[in-house]
Amino acid sequence: MLPNEIFEKLRSVYSDQIIELIENHPSDSFITVNASALFEICHSLRDEAFFMFDYLMSLTGMDLGENLGVVYHLYSMQLKHKIVIKAFVPKEQPKVPSVERIWRTADWHEREAYDLIGVNFEGHHNLIRILLPYDWEGYPLRKDYTAPEMYHGMKVS
Amino acid sequence: MSEKKRLDLEYSQLDSDRMRLNVGPQHPSTHGVLRLEVEIDGEIVTEVIPHLGYLHRSFEKHCEKMTYPQIIPYIDRMDYISAMNNEWPYVMALEKMLDIKVPEKVEYIRVIVAELNRIANHQIAVATFGLDAGAFTPFLFFFRDREYIIWILEKLSGARLLYNYFRVGGLAGDTYPSFKEECLNVIEKVRKTNAEVMDLLIYNRIFIQRTANVGILTPEVAVNYACSGPVLRGSGLRYDLRKDEPYSIYDRFDFEVPVGKGEVGFVGDCWDRNIVRMQEMEQSCRIIEQALAQMPETGDVKANVPKRIKPPKGEVYMRTENPKGDLGFYIVSNGTDKPERLKARGTSFVNLSVIPEISKGYMFADLILILGSIDIVLGEVDR
């Protein structure tokens, strides 16, 4: 299935929750969706017979200035097609529904995005830091991050 | 502080016969600096909590401050056992963004070095797994043979492990006159040792008793956890990007995708994951032989290397079949010579996340084998 077909199918079910499809060769095409409906959309992307996206390749958090973005790269083992889903949330309240219950691999990816970018995944069973120490402060991959000078009496930067 | 409080709570809820044990971070059987917090009931593992980050080097943050060619040496240091394979998806992603056509000869050399590196990676994986199970001889055999592969790669790139050999649109240098001959010699040595190891280790009765029916990973769980590479194929799923989504010139070669069949136990146990690695080495040998025969004699490997790498605004996710599984790079460009965001989807990071799921209910000694059979490199887990 091509990205525009997937977009039309999703549009027919979720109407305005699906915002737009951006196709810009040679870049990958992606579909922007409303963050509040993300869990339901992902659920049907995995379970509907014509989507069958059973394999979450990658989950990325991004800093886009005023917003934070979450990017999902999906692949179907059976139908061999791919799609990219994006959702944007404001930086002050970066709440995104967790898809950990749909794809278990999202568990660690979401913890990583929380750790480095500070996206708050609602419904995650154990949203704690994964790569940085548990008591680290701040989110290093944000563009406005400044590294602390000291950590527990040790010089860092 | 928050972590300590959380643990105290759990300790108070423990039964008197359950124990919490820390494996690592400084322990040889964790294959790097990985800490596993294990809850055991007698000898039976009831819970495993991995703690990562001891080798975190802020790879993604560094990338945002460097130009595209400067990132390649950092990528070598992710999975330092198979650095050639690591560089490939990254340069392919940039070639797609910049719309560069790679010369024929470069494609062939890339395939050959990547497959040589795949053999070297699987040799280490099976060797250290044998060591975990208590077999020392195959370890010495494999390390002896791996040296010949490393010599070839060293002559090409100048380094033993961290090659920095791929360039966007080409390679750092051409092959040397005796390259073909040496590759064929190495293949012969690899095949001879593999035949010996099949007898010594894989079909050894003690080894089968240690690994059969241990750490069974069902295909449904493997896909849900997005496992890939020999871990996924060990569970019986025939999924290999070289066949399913042929990149570069892999559609020109005749090779098979080995999968686990449950020959000595259930499908998806530790033994299956290792037999897949052994068979993949043979398939890599076949690919190298065909590539050496088809490779054009002449051609400039630097002909299409651009002077300046400045991809247009956009984003690309590119993945290739690493020895350990799918390695993906998601590059977002803002039109300058530095990436806006670069995310590496580490194969070992994703494959390791299945450990808590598949090690429950097995003996503590089996946990070490299950961890060994997944073949992780902590440089890629922590990045």
Side-chain angles (χ1 to χ4, degrees), chain B residues 40-286:
Chain B
I40 47 176
D41 181 359
E43 279 282 304
I44 309 290
V45 174
T46 49
E47 199 183 358
V48 179
I49 306 168
H51 294 272
L52 322 174
Y54 290 92
L55 209 58
H56 183 56
R57 317 181 286 284
S58 18
F59 167 73
E60 287 167 17
K61 185 78 181 168
H62 272 304
C63 290
E64 290 172 12
K65 297 220 161 65
M66 286 184 297
T67 59
Y68 288 100
Q70 284 176 329
I71 294 170
I72 297 176
Y74 279 80
I75 289 168
D76 286 338
R77 282 147 182 85
M78 274 174 51
D79 180 356
Y80 42 80
I81 309 278
S82 54
M84 286 287 188
N85 288 277
N86 280 6
E87 293 165 8
W88 206 349
Y90 176 74
V91 295
M92 260 169 63
L94 286 173
E95 280 155 13
K96 190 181 169 192
M97 278 174 134
L98 291 161
D99 201 16
I100 296 174
K101 180 91 179 69
V102 182
E104 279 283 284
K105 191 174 184 190
V106 172
E107 296 276 29
Y108 279 102
I109 299 174
R110 281 182 181 181
V111 168
I112 293 165
V113 294
E115 294 303 323
L116 281 173
N117 217 184
R118 187 186 308 275
I119 296 173
N121 176 80
H122 284 348
Q123 283 177 328
I124 288 202
V126 180
T128 51
F129 183 74
L131 209 58
D132 287 341
F136 196 75
T137 318
F139 177 81
L140 295 175
F141 282 11
F142 276 139
F143 268 73
R144 180 194 62 198
D145 281 9
R146 178 171 162 266
E147 205 64 19
Y148 298 111
I149 295 177
I150 287 177
W151 284 347
I152 292 179
L153 299 179
E154 189 183 1
K155 278 186 190 171
L156 283 172
S157 67
R160 277 171 59 84
L161 281 178
L162 307 164
Y163 308 110
N164 189 14
Y165 184 56
F166 283 38
R167 294 284 182 273
V168 177
L171 295 166
D174 206 340
T175 55
Y176 52 93
S178 59
F179 176 69
K180 267 188 188 181
E181 195 189 323
E182 284 180 21
C183 285
L184 290 171
N185 283 342
V186 160
I187 290 174
E188 202 183 313
K189 288 195 175 87
V190 167
R191 282 187 168 143
K192 198 169 155 239
T193 310
N194 278 9
E196 262 178 304
V197 171
M198 285 300 253
D199 280 347
L200 262 177
L201 182 73
I202 303 292
Y203 283 104
N204 183 320
R205 216 170 133 187
I206 306 168
F207 184 75
I208 290 175
Q209 282 177 351
R210 278 302 306 275
T211 56
N213 296 330
V214 169
I216 296 164
L217 176 63
T218 57
E220 294 79 23
V221 174
V223 171
N224 208 235
Y225 272 94
C227 293
S228 47
V231 178
L232 182 67
R233 288 194 284 275
S235 299
L237 279 167
R238 206 174 291 275
Y239 167 71
D240 189 320
L241 287 179
R242 290 174 295 171
K243 279 271 188 211
D244 285 313
E245 235 177 58
Y247 53 91
S248 184
I249 49 165
Y250 274 109
D251 46 354
R252 298 184 197 170
F253 304 120
D254 170 35
F255 65 101
E256 284 155 27
V257 181
V259 291
K261 296 192 182 76
E263 207 177 313
V264 297
F266 280 106
V267 178
D269 57 8
C270 290
W271 193 87
D272 273 349
R273 290 195 271 280
N274 272 284
I275 192 78
V276 166
R277 290 199 182 97
M278 291 298 287
Q279 289 166 349
E280 266 181 29
M281 279 194 242
E282 169 58 29
Q283 298 305 326
S284 292
C285 291
R286 283 179 64 192

